[in-house]
Amino acid sequence: MKIENQVTLEFPSRSANEGFARTAAACFAAQLDPTLEEVNDIKTAVSEAVTNAIVHAYPDTLGKILLKLRIKEGGALEIVVKDWGVGIADIEQARTPLFTTGSEERSGMGFTIMESFMDTLKVRSAPDRGTTVTMVRKIARRAGR
């Protein structure tokens, strides 16, 4: 699928950057003329992916997070969140609702939430090498546009 536009952002794994990432994703997606519901879905999914990287990939240190946003032919928004942190030993277990490696205030619903708001969710990871989360959301062309 041909890429029509793209942007790549890199930032430290500070919790303050989660809000930046979600806002940047929403602003980039705006060129597809999404509905308010679609914008909120995108912001929520990005928030979950970036928060996972901040909390789980770098539990005791600062690291870097890459956010890549692409618009592909047909109005598909691809969102990639990559880290170079501790990685996930068992992706299937990590995608199980309520499973968490974080503290008890963590819900363990991050991947479930991402999956529910995106059309596709792919997770690639290797212990001590990091994790890449790729999400795609198709933004339908609205009537009259």
Side-chain angles (χ1 to χ4, degrees):
M1 209 182 271
K2 183 181 170 203
I3 297 171
E4 295 181 350
N5 199 6
Q6 65 182 344
V7 66
T8 302
L9 304 167
E10 185 177 294
F11 48 89
S13 61
R14 296 185 188 283
S15 60
N17 288 331
E18 176 272 327
F20 165 74
R22 67 186 272 134
T23 301
C27 289
F28 185 77
Q31 63 196 287
L32 291 169
D33 193 27
T35 64
L36 188 55
E37 182 179 352
E38 288 168 328
V39 170
N40 286 332
D41 290 353
I42 291 162
K43 288 168 66 176
T44 300
V46 168
S47 178
E48 291 295 333
V50 170
T51 298
N52 274 359
I54 292 167
V55 171
H56 300 291
Y58 304 109
D60 301 317
T61 186
L62 276 180
K64 70 178 177 179
I65 298 172
L66 182 100
L67 173 65
K68 188 179 285 190
L69 304 162
R70 293 182 180 133
I71 293 177
K72 296 185 170 186
E73 283 181 316
L77 174 66
E78 180 184 72
I79 302 163
V80 177
V81 177
K82 179 176 177 55
D83 68 66
W84 289 264
V86 300
I88 302 170
D90 186 339
I91 293 171
E92 189 174 323
Q93 181 183 36
R95 289 183 70 164
T96 303
L98 304 180
F99 176 81
T100 185
T101 59
S103 60
E104 56 188 47
E105 73 257 5
R106 297 283 159 204
S107 70
M109 294 297 290
F111 286 129
T112 302
I113 291 168
M114 286 180 246
E115 198 165 34
S116 69
F117 288 122
M118 295 287 114
D119 294 321
T120 63
L121 171 69
K122 293 179 185 165
V123 182
R124 289 186 7 246
S125 189
D128 299 320
R129 297 189 65 202
T131 301
T132 302
V133 173
T134 304
M135 303 176 282
V136 176
R137 176 69 183 256
K138 177 101 163 99
I139 306 297
R141 203 165 195 70
R142 291 196 266 169
R145 306 238 173 183

